[in-house]
Amino acid sequence: MRLTKTMRWTALAACTALAISACTTGSGKKSTEGANGGSGKKGGSISIESGEPQHGLVPQNTAESEGAHVLSALFAGLVEYDHKDNSPQLRVAESIESPDATVWTIKLKDGYTFHNGEKVVAQNFVDAWNWGANQDNAAEGLPFYDKIVGAEELAPGKDKKPSAKELKGLKVVDDKTFTVTLKAPFSQFKTMLGYTAFYPLPKAFFTDPKAFEEAPIGDGPFQMDGKWEHNKQIKVKRYENFPAADGKAKLDSVTFKIYDKLETAYNDLRANNIQITNKLPVSAMATVSQEFGDRYIYKPESGVGYLGFPIATNPAFAKPEIRKAISMAIDREAITKTIFSGTRKPADDFISPIIPGYRQGALGDVVKYNPAKAKELFTQAGGLPGNTLEIGYNADGGHKEWIEAVGNQLKNNLGIEVTFKPFEKFGAILNALGAKQYSGAFRSAWSMDYPSIEDYLRPIFSKVAIENGSNYGGYVNEEFEALLAKADSAKTEAEGIKLYQQADDILIKEVPYIPIYTYMSSAAYTKDVKNVVIDAQNRIDLANVELA
């Protein structure tokens, strides 16, 4: 989910320098999922940890993890992803078929309604996608409609006005059927359709979009329980008319309690003031396994953490050699073991290890810790102006320790001064980057929107994602663009993966961002709940959670 998904970031002396307790590892049991079995108590209410979403709660304009987590409870999409292998499974869709991977026919199941009673029909999807694809609406999800015929008319680019109001490639056949015509074959299209940008919207959205942002009307297992209380909480309750075949929510209600600091959330978990957190502070990593035992979830997820650079706006970062030198001066093993107690893994590709197309060791020397070579390359490339580097990060996500550890390594290994710029909220740093108001290096990360190698390339590094997406660095490479287009049109998935890997190779050569680590889900829950499952996007499957 766009760089706007949840994002995370030493010298060996970091433990002492940072005064943290994450130098040892707890020995308690770890659970790959939540505890299951037995009959749970019916109904009941719980609270879970959350951060403040960046934008109003509109699916087409939500590309970060906090908002997407809430929307995953409020909406049901055409497909969902299997928790075990991330394969797309039909949900609201009865079928999604194409004879040529270009013209797709989508048929809907009966029984789904919006929370205001309105029946979910094909027009709801078409209207939602047309709104998201129109650049006048400045929706974060705009790049995801680019493959549909007519997209360039709704999004002609900066300083141009749309020449159409609807995507030519969308046609409603009847209430249960619509067709999608793509510009070229794209075998991954069905896989895309579980992403938030492809959720439907009710008629009420178009009547009053601002009111919808505060209290969205979805078609999912939960509905809003009052308006979003900014910086405090978002409350949802079970939607009683959700189709039983899709699995009604077990709980009566859930409160997304909004925290500025993960330490506070973790203390509330330990005190049973909240029952689940899918994010843990660095300070908990050494002991959480021992304290929570089987109620500590530790499993691979889709996130990749980066150090990013505003290449387009800051000439200091223009040379790939500078970026590569910085990468080689970072000791990923020390960060993942010392700061995160092994709950992160050193990155070795721009692609997550759980995604088809990932190649172990693809980054090669780019991520090999080599201080001497890094200093030599850095000096040869001319270094940085003033011999200084600033790193920005969001202070509400538990990133201070590892960012400062990276700064210490760069200071020691490159001989530069490193300063830090904490942003109070995650949304604040994204807004500053999007408005080109921040020119320092920055922590970032990407968690999949949908399980495809393509989703780790286009939304972060393509041209279309500069104005409407997550290319906050402003990176542009025409060969990269051409390979993406060629891969999109591949006749088979295997052929497409090989071409996407060639595009990945360009990123490895130019290092527009520096991959630091890949994520492991580190979540915990109290004895009050059961059936807690965390998906590959680090979202809690709230509909199946029960009181123990």
Short mmCIF file of all heavy atoms in Angstrom, two decimals, residues 118-146:
data_model
loop_
_atom_site.label_atom_id
_atom_site.label_comp_id
_atom_site.label_asym_id
_atom_site.label_seq_id
_atom_site.Cartn_x
_atom_site.Cartn_y
_atom_site.Cartn_z
N GLU A 118 -28.76 0.15 0.75
CA GLU A 118 -28.67 0.17 -0.71
C GLU A 118 -28.01 -1.12 -1.22
O GLU A 118 -26.97 -1.54 -0.71
CB GLU A 118 -27.85 1.39 -1.14
CG GLU A 118 -27.67 1.56 -2.63
CD GLU A 118 -26.74 2.73 -2.95
OE1 GLU A 118 -26.67 3.68 -2.13
OE2 GLU A 118 -26.08 2.69 -4.01
N LYS A 119 -28.59 -1.73 -2.23
CA LYS A 119 -28.05 -2.96 -2.79
C LYS A 119 -26.76 -2.67 -3.55
O LYS A 119 -26.65 -1.67 -4.25
CB LYS A 119 -29.07 -3.59 -3.74
CG LYS A 119 -28.65 -4.94 -4.30
CD LYS A 119 -29.74 -5.53 -5.20
CE LYS A 119 -29.30 -6.87 -5.78
NZ LYS A 119 -30.35 -7.46 -6.66
N VAL A 120 -25.78 -3.54 -3.39
CA VAL A 120 -24.51 -3.38 -4.12
C VAL A 120 -24.71 -3.92 -5.54
O VAL A 120 -25.02 -5.09 -5.74
CB VAL A 120 -23.37 -4.15 -3.43
CG1 VAL A 120 -22.09 -4.05 -4.25
CG2 VAL A 120 -23.13 -3.60 -2.03
N VAL A 121 -24.53 -3.02 -6.52
CA VAL A 121 -24.70 -3.39 -7.93
C VAL A 121 -23.47 -2.97 -8.72
O VAL A 121 -22.59 -2.27 -8.21
CB VAL A 121 -25.97 -2.73 -8.52
CG1 VAL A 121 -27.22 -3.26 -7.84
CG2 VAL A 121 -25.89 -1.22 -8.43
N ALA A 122 -23.43 -3.39 -9.98
CA ALA A 122 -22.27 -3.11 -10.84
C ALA A 122 -21.98 -1.62 -10.94
O ALA A 122 -20.82 -1.20 -10.97
CB ALA A 122 -22.51 -3.70 -12.23
N GLN A 123 -23.02 -0.80 -10.98
CA GLN A 123 -22.83 0.65 -11.13
C GLN A 123 -22.03 1.23 -9.99
O GLN A 123 -21.30 2.21 -10.17
CB GLN A 123 -24.19 1.34 -11.23
CG GLN A 123 -24.11 2.80 -11.69
CD GLN A 123 -23.68 2.93 -13.14
OE1 GLN A 123 -24.24 2.29 -14.02
NE2 GLN A 123 -22.67 3.76 -13.39
N ASN A 124 -22.14 0.64 -8.79
CA ASN A 124 -21.39 1.15 -7.63
C ASN A 124 -19.88 1.03 -7.83
O ASN A 124 -19.11 1.89 -7.40
CB ASN A 124 -21.79 0.41 -6.36
CG ASN A 124 -23.24 0.60 -6.00
OD1 ASN A 124 -23.99 -0.35 -5.87
ND2 ASN A 124 -23.67 1.84 -5.81
N PHE A 125 -19.46 -0.04 -8.49
CA PHE A 125 -18.04 -0.21 -8.79
C PHE A 125 -17.60 0.75 -9.90
O PHE A 125 -16.56 1.41 -9.79
CB PHE A 125 -17.75 -1.66 -9.18
CG PHE A 125 -17.82 -2.63 -8.05
CD1 PHE A 125 -19.01 -3.31 -7.78
CD2 PHE A 125 -16.73 -2.86 -7.23
CE1 PHE A 125 -19.09 -4.20 -6.72
CE2 PHE A 125 -16.79 -3.74 -6.17
CZ PHE A 125 -17.98 -4.42 -5.91
N VAL A 126 -18.39 0.83 -10.94
CA VAL A 126 -18.05 1.70 -12.06
C VAL A 126 -17.99 3.16 -11.62
O VAL A 126 -17.04 3.88 -11.96
CB VAL A 126 -19.06 1.51 -13.21
CG1 VAL A 126 -18.87 2.56 -14.29
CG2 VAL A 126 -18.92 0.11 -13.81
N ASP A 127 -18.95 3.60 -10.84
CA ASP A 127 -18.95 4.99 -10.36
C ASP A 127 -17.74 5.27 -9.48
O ASP A 127 -17.11 6.33 -9.58
CB ASP A 127 -20.23 5.28 -9.57
CG ASP A 127 -21.47 5.36 -10.45
OD1 ASP A 127 -21.32 5.49 -11.68
OD2 ASP A 127 -22.59 5.29 -9.90
N ALA A 128 -17.42 4.32 -8.61
CA ALA A 128 -16.28 4.49 -7.70
C ALA A 128 -14.97 4.59 -8.47
O ALA A 128 -14.12 5.45 -8.19
CB ALA A 128 -16.23 3.33 -6.72
N TRP A 129 -14.78 3.75 -9.46
CA TRP A 129 -13.54 3.75 -10.24
C TRP A 129 -13.42 5.00 -11.10
O TRP A 129 -12.34 5.56 -11.25
CB TRP A 129 -13.45 2.50 -11.10
CG TRP A 129 -13.45 1.21 -10.31
CD1 TRP A 129 -13.65 1.06 -8.96
CD2 TRP A 129 -13.28 -0.11 -10.83
NE1 TRP A 129 -13.61 -0.26 -8.62
CE2 TRP A 129 -13.38 -1.01 -9.74
CE3 TRP A 129 -13.06 -0.61 -12.10
CZ2 TRP A 129 -13.26 -2.38 -9.88
CZ3 TRP A 129 -12.93 -1.99 -12.26
CH2 TRP A 129 -13.03 -2.87 -11.16
N ASN A 130 -14.54 5.44 -11.67
CA ASN A 130 -14.52 6.67 -12.46
C ASN A 130 -14.13 7.87 -11.59
O ASN A 130 -13.37 8.74 -12.02
CB ASN A 130 -15.90 6.92 -13.09
CG ASN A 130 -16.13 6.10 -14.34
OD1 ASN A 130 -15.21 5.81 -15.09
ND2 ASN A 130 -17.38 5.73 -14.58
N TRP A 131 -14.64 7.90 -10.37
CA TRP A 131 -14.28 9.01 -9.46
C TRP A 131 -12.79 8.95 -9.13
O TRP A 131 -12.09 9.96 -9.17
CB TRP A 131 -15.12 8.92 -8.19
CG TRP A 131 -14.88 10.09 -7.25
CD1 TRP A 131 -15.53 11.28 -7.24
CD2 TRP A 131 -13.90 10.15 -6.20
NE1 TRP A 131 -15.03 12.10 -6.25
CE2 TRP A 131 -14.02 11.43 -5.60
CE3 TRP A 131 -12.94 9.27 -5.72
CZ2 TRP A 131 -13.22 11.83 -4.53
CZ3 TRP A 131 -12.14 9.68 -4.66
CH2 TRP A 131 -12.28 10.93 -4.08
N GLY A 132 -12.31 7.77 -8.80
CA GLY A 132 -10.91 7.63 -8.44
C GLY A 132 -9.96 7.92 -9.57
O GLY A 132 -8.84 8.39 -9.36
N ALA A 133 -10.39 7.67 -10.81
CA ALA A 133 -9.53 7.85 -11.97
C ALA A 133 -9.47 9.30 -12.46
O ALA A 133 -8.62 9.63 -13.29
CB ALA A 133 -10.01 6.95 -13.12
N ASN A 134 -10.37 10.14 -11.97
CA ASN A 134 -10.43 11.54 -12.40
C ASN A 134 -9.42 12.37 -11.60
O ASN A 134 -9.56 12.50 -10.39
CB ASN A 134 -11.84 12.08 -12.22
CG ASN A 134 -12.04 13.43 -12.89
OD1 ASN A 134 -11.17 14.31 -12.83
ND2 ASN A 134 -13.18 13.61 -13.54
N GLN A 135 -8.44 12.94 -12.28
CA GLN A 135 -7.38 13.65 -11.57
C GLN A 135 -7.88 14.88 -10.81
O GLN A 135 -7.22 15.34 -9.88
CB GLN A 135 -6.26 14.05 -12.52
CG GLN A 135 -6.59 15.15 -13.49
CD GLN A 135 -5.40 15.50 -14.39
OE1 GLN A 135 -4.58 14.65 -14.71
NE2 GLN A 135 -5.31 16.75 -14.79
N ASP A 136 -9.04 15.40 -11.17
CA ASP A 136 -9.59 16.54 -10.42
C ASP A 136 -9.89 16.17 -8.98
O ASP A 136 -9.93 17.04 -8.10
CB ASP A 136 -10.87 17.05 -11.09
CG ASP A 136 -10.59 17.86 -12.35
OD1 ASP A 136 -9.42 18.22 -12.59
OD2 ASP A 136 -11.55 18.13 -13.10
N ASN A 137 -10.09 14.89 -8.72
CA ASN A 137 -10.38 14.44 -7.35
C ASN A 137 -9.12 14.14 -6.56
O ASN A 137 -9.19 13.91 -5.35
CB ASN A 137 -11.27 13.21 -7.40
CG ASN A 137 -12.61 13.51 -8.03
OD1 ASN A 137 -13.19 14.56 -7.80
ND2 ASN A 137 -13.11 12.59 -8.87
N ALA A 138 -7.96 14.15 -7.24
CA ALA A 138 -6.65 13.98 -6.58
C ALA A 138 -6.62 12.78 -5.65
O ALA A 138 -6.08 12.84 -4.54
CB ALA A 138 -6.27 15.26 -5.83
N ALA A 139 -7.19 11.68 -6.09
CA ALA A 139 -7.24 10.47 -5.27
C ALA A 139 -5.91 9.73 -5.29
O ALA A 139 -5.26 9.62 -6.33
CB ALA A 139 -8.35 9.55 -5.76
N GLU A 140 -5.50 9.21 -4.13
CA GLU A 140 -4.25 8.47 -4.02
C GLU A 140 -4.25 7.22 -4.91
O GLU A 140 -3.22 6.77 -5.38
CB GLU A 140 -4.01 8.06 -2.57
CG GLU A 140 -3.79 9.20 -1.61
CD GLU A 140 -2.34 9.61 -1.53
OE1 GLU A 140 -1.51 9.06 -2.30
OE2 GLU A 140 -2.02 10.47 -0.71
N GLY A 141 -5.45 6.66 -5.15
CA GLY A 141 -5.52 5.43 -5.91
C GLY A 141 -5.51 5.61 -7.41
O GLY A 141 -5.59 4.63 -8.15
N LEU A 142 -5.39 6.84 -7.89
CA LEU A 142 -5.49 7.11 -9.33
C LEU A 142 -4.59 6.22 -10.20
O LEU A 142 -5.03 5.74 -11.25
CB LEU A 142 -5.21 8.59 -9.60
CG LEU A 142 -5.37 9.06 -11.05
CD1 LEU A 142 -5.87 10.50 -11.10
CD2 LEU A 142 -4.06 8.98 -11.83
N PRO A 143 -3.33 5.97 -9.85
CA PRO A 143 -2.48 5.16 -10.73
C PRO A 143 -3.00 3.75 -11.00
O PRO A 143 -2.65 3.14 -12.00
CB PRO A 143 -1.14 5.11 -9.99
CG PRO A 143 -1.15 6.31 -9.12
CD PRO A 143 -2.58 6.47 -8.70
N PHE A 144 -3.86 3.24 -10.12
CA PHE A 144 -4.31 1.87 -10.27
C PHE A 144 -5.35 1.71 -11.39
O PHE A 144 -5.66 0.60 -11.79
CB PHE A 144 -4.88 1.36 -8.95
CG PHE A 144 -3.82 1.23 -7.89
CD1 PHE A 144 -3.59 2.26 -6.98
CD2 PHE A 144 -3.02 0.11 -7.82
CE1 PHE A 144 -2.60 2.15 -6.03
CE2 PHE A 144 -2.04 -0.01 -6.86
CZ PHE A 144 -1.81 1.02 -5.97
N TYR A 145 -5.87 2.83 -11.91
CA TYR A 145 -6.82 2.77 -13.02
C TYR A 145 -6.13 3.03 -14.36
O TYR A 145 -6.79 3.02 -15.40
CB TYR A 145 -7.94 3.79 -12.82
CG TYR A 145 -8.54 3.76 -11.44
CD1 TYR A 145 -8.25 4.77 -10.52
CD2 TYR A 145 -9.38 2.73 -11.04
CE1 TYR A 145 -8.78 4.75 -9.24
CE2 TYR A 145 -9.92 2.70 -9.76
CZ TYR A 145 -9.61 3.71 -8.87
OH TYR A 145 -10.13 3.68 -7.60
N ASP A 146 -4.84 3.25 -14.34
CA ASP A 146 -4.13 3.66 -15.53
C ASP A 146 -4.19 2.64 -16.66
O ASP A 146 -4.06 2.99 -17.83
CB ASP A 146 -2.66 3.96 -15.18
CG ASP A 146 -1.87 4.51 -16.36
OD1 ASP A 146 -2.26 5.57 -16.88
OD2 ASP A 146 -0.89 3.88 -16.76
#
